[in-house]
Amino acid sequence: MTSPEPEQQRPDRTDTEEAAPLRVAVIGSGPAGVYTADALTRQRRVPVRIDVLDRLYTPYGLVRHGVAPDHTKIKGVARALRRILEHPDVDFVGGVEFGTDLTRADLARSHHAVVYATGASVDRRMGVPGEDLAGSVAATDFVNWYCGHPDSAVERFVLDAEEVAVVGAGNVALDVARILVKTADELRHTDIPQPVLDVLARSRVRTVHVLARRGPLQAKFTAPELRDLLELPGVDVVVRPEQVDIDPARVGTGDPATRSVSRAARTNLKLLRECAERTPEGRPRRVEFHFWSRPEEVLGEDRVSGLRVERTRLDDQGRLEGTGEHTVLEVGMVLRSVGYAGVPLSGVPFDENGRTVPQRDGRVLDEHGDAVPGDYVAGWIKRGATGVIGTNKSDAAGTVRSLLSDADALRSALPEPVELTEVLADRGLTVGDYEGWLRIDEAEGRLAAELERGERVKLGGWEAHRRALGED
């Protein structure tokens, strides 16, 4: 994304139109949070003032730190989100962590309502022996690393293993596999931080094994993601013919492995069958798909030396079961990508089983199933890690409808809110703002020009962000 021209920067906010706007704090500046602000500002029935708070100095959540750097079209969503944050009734407040820097009691002084849009920030575990060995890590950690998340140190990965297992059959798993087998030259045009690109250039990875517990028709990755992988130059993608030997005419009928199949799965099957017919050409890097394979144990003494895998199948009821047939993949790193989970928020009800905030129509529910006054939720922390970026728009709109219908009661509960700046001052906090984000944005554009690497190269680490903000 190019740095905005001066006339595109956020206009000053005024209060001349309405004397008593409904004040809403949104926790999280990813798509769910920003689309919540968008839904609030698009309506005209209730005047609003919105503060979008984030732990990071940079907005956009997973669009910035989750979308693969070579998916430049998807990352273009940030341009639409930017326009929302530049609305005169929206403020971005960065560098403030809910539950640590600010509590719900603090925000009860300054806002009529709080919308939690914190996403699902941790990976689910495989639950197998050896999972905590060195070299066995969450895909989230690897994604954060190559996306330049400030929490992730460049030393986190050295990529000294020649063979790697990626456990999972979703889009994130394919993203991870693709980044591992692409060359540094192929990634130079992206916004990957330069130190990370240097590590990728030295990578010893030559083979990536992608494991799916179920079959090709149950895989969750999309056809565009699969095509991106299949079309990589310099990479042999290997699919075992017997694992995709499914008559397309049988799909949707018959045994549990072929019934209840989506149109997207049919497209995936077609692409995988075509790939299975190709003869590997001995290209420098290789991706091997292993369907009907689940991890049983991560092997090794001090670090990963292999992955023990059991072959699986579906029983007559469509439930996954092991066959008792085992193999060992001699890999030096295991990346698990078996789903995302939400984390509890301080003072907010949480469903440990679903890893979400309990809610009804976007209203947070307490342990008795009653709505918590002034508390709302949107995005993955509301519904679980499902859907695409655009799904958050309709999800946020539903939450906003509930919030606006409660507007009168919310105002009555807090007739005279104080300014957020007063709350921040009372807590002794110095925070970032939208103009600070623009300084980071501009610094990343300058770095890209210096390195001759396209439109943006991300700054890596908290210190680099603080220098761009002028704090150091």
Side-chain angles (χ1 to χ4, degrees):
M1 182 175 68
T2 57
S3 299
E5 298 298 326
E7 64 269 23
Q8 292 176 303
Q9 294 185 10
R10 183 189 180 282
D12 291 336
R13 157 189 263 164
T14 66
D15 287 325
T16 57
E17 294 183 8
E18 298 289 345
L22 188 72
R23 296 190 178 183
V24 180
V26 178
I27 311 300
S29 67
V34 179
Y35 285 140
T36 296
D38 187 42
L40 284 164
T41 56
R42 282 181 180 273
Q43 56 83 37
R44 294 292 179 264
R45 182 168 60 89
V46 178
V48 293
R49 290 272 302 273
I50 304 137
D51 291 301
V52 179
L53 286 72
D54 202 289
R55 185 173 71 91
L56 305 184
Y57 293 114
T58 56
Y60 311 142
L62 284 180
V63 172
R64 179 175 167 91
H65 292 121
V67 174
D70 56 346
H71 279 174
T72 53
K73 290 184 179 178
I74 299 176
K75 292 175 80 69
V77 171
R79 285 187 279 273
L81 300 181
R82 181 183 69 188
R83 288 192 291 271
I84 298 167
L85 290 181
E86 290 175 349
H87 191 283
D89 291 322
V90 178
D91 267 330
F92 171 69
V93 183
V96 58
E97 184 171 9
F98 177 81
T100 301
D101 299 321
L102 285 179
T103 67
R104 181 63 183 92
D106 292 323
L107 293 176
R109 299 172 53 204
S110 54
H111 294 82
H112 298 101
V114 177
V115 181
Y116 305 102
T118 52
S121 57
V122 298
D123 275 72
R124 294 183 182 274
R125 294 175 61 84
M126 296 183 293
V128 301
E131 187 170 8
D132 294 320
L133 280 171
S136 173
V137 296
T140 300
D141 292 343
F142 189 61
V143 171
N144 283 343
W145 179 73
Y146 67 62
C147 283
H149 195 290
D151 286 344
S152 185
V154 67
E155 300 83 10
R156 181 69 177 87
F157 293 92
V158 294
L159 304 183
D160 56 353
E162 292 192 3
E163 298 200 29
V164 175
V166 177
V167 180
N171 283 344
V172 173
L174 294 200
D175 281 344
V176 166
R178 190 180 64 256
I179 296 298
L180 283 169
V181 295
K182 271 194 166 183
T183 66
D185 283 344
E186 290 171 321
L187 295 168
R188 272 191 60 80
H189 70 285
T190 72
D191 60 9
I192 288 180
Q194 186 61 43
V196 172
L197 189 64
D198 292 340
V199 174
L200 289 167
R202 298 189 299 267
S203 171
R204 296 182 60 197
V205 175
R206 295 296 176 265
T207 300
V208 176
H209 302 272
V210 178
L211 279 68
R213 294 191 306 155
R214 293 177 170 81
L217 292 173
Q218 290 76 43
K220 299 299 184 183
F221 50 73
T222 61
E225 286 277 354
L226 180 58
R227 285 194 188 95
D228 284 348
L229 187 62
L230 297 178
E231 295 171 359
L232 287 179
V235 179
D236 281 327
V237 180
V238 179
V239 177
R240 299 178 185 178
E242 68 273 15
Q243 294 194 338
V244 293
D245 186 19
I246 301 170
D247 183 355
R250 287 178 47 231
V251 174
T253 63
D255 63 58
T258 59
R259 87 172 67 115
S260 302
V261 173
S262 68
R263 180 181 298 179
R266 295 170 191 263
T267 303
N268 285 343
L269 178 63
K270 177 178 180 294
L271 294 172
L272 291 166
R273 284 170 59 88
E274 291 171 354
C275 181
E277 294 173 358
R278 303 177 194 163
T279 301
E281 300 177 6
R283 294 172 177 174
R285 295 184 180 184
R286 179 182 180 100
V287 174
E288 296 186 15
F289 278 94
H290 302 260
F291 294 104
W292 302 111
S293 301
R294 70 180 176 192
E296 285 290 297
E297 182 180 4
V298 180
L299 305 175
E301 295 293 332
D302 298 321
R303 62 172 297 111
V304 174
S305 63
L307 181 65
R308 189 166 181 261
V309 176
E310 182 180 22
R311 183 171 174 77
T312 60
R313 65 190 173 199
L314 297 181
D315 65 16
D316 292 340
Q317 304 301 314
R319 294 173 300 216
L320 191 74
E321 64 179 9
T323 65
E325 178 185 345
H326 295 87
T327 57
V328 173
L329 298 175
E330 295 183 356
V331 298
M333 182 165 71
V334 176
L335 292 163
R336 67 178 182 273
S337 180
V338 293
Y340 287 95
V343 296
L345 298 166
S346 177
V348 180
F350 191 72
D351 176 5
E352 290 287 351
N353 292 324
R355 305 295 294 181
T356 56
V357 171
Q359 55 84 31
R360 184 185 304 116
D361 298 327
R363 297 180 178 91
V364 175
L365 303 179
D366 63 18
E367 66 273 19
H368 304 296
D370 298 324
V372 178
D375 279 17
Y376 303 84
V377 66
W380 280 3
I381 195 67
K382 170 186 176 183
R383 67 180 190 274
T386 61
V388 296
I389 291 174
T391 308
N392 292 293
K393 185 174 289 189
S394 57
D395 181 284
T399 294
V400 167
R401 282 193 294 272
S402 294
L403 190 157
L404 293 175
S405 70
D406 299 339
D408 290 343
L410 295 171
R411 279 205 189 93
S412 297
L414 184 65
E416 297 183 5
V418 303
E419 291 293 332
L420 178 60
T421 52
E422 181 178 332
V423 175
L424 296 172
D426 290 346
R427 297 282 291 185
L429 297 173
T430 301
V431 300
D433 57 16
Y434 189 78
E435 285 69 29
W437 151 239
L438 292 181
R439 289 195 289 276
I440 294 173
D441 183 51
E442 290 164 0
E444 293 181 339
R446 289 194 301 271
L447 181 58
E450 293 168 7
L451 296 172
E452 298 181 346
R453 279 193 50 199
E455 295 183 348
R456 171 197 300 281
V457 172
K458 285 179 181 168
L459 302 178
W462 287 99
E463 291 306 312
H465 286 180
R466 292 188 179 106
R467 283 195 299 271
L469 291 171
E471 293 185 9
D472 290 348

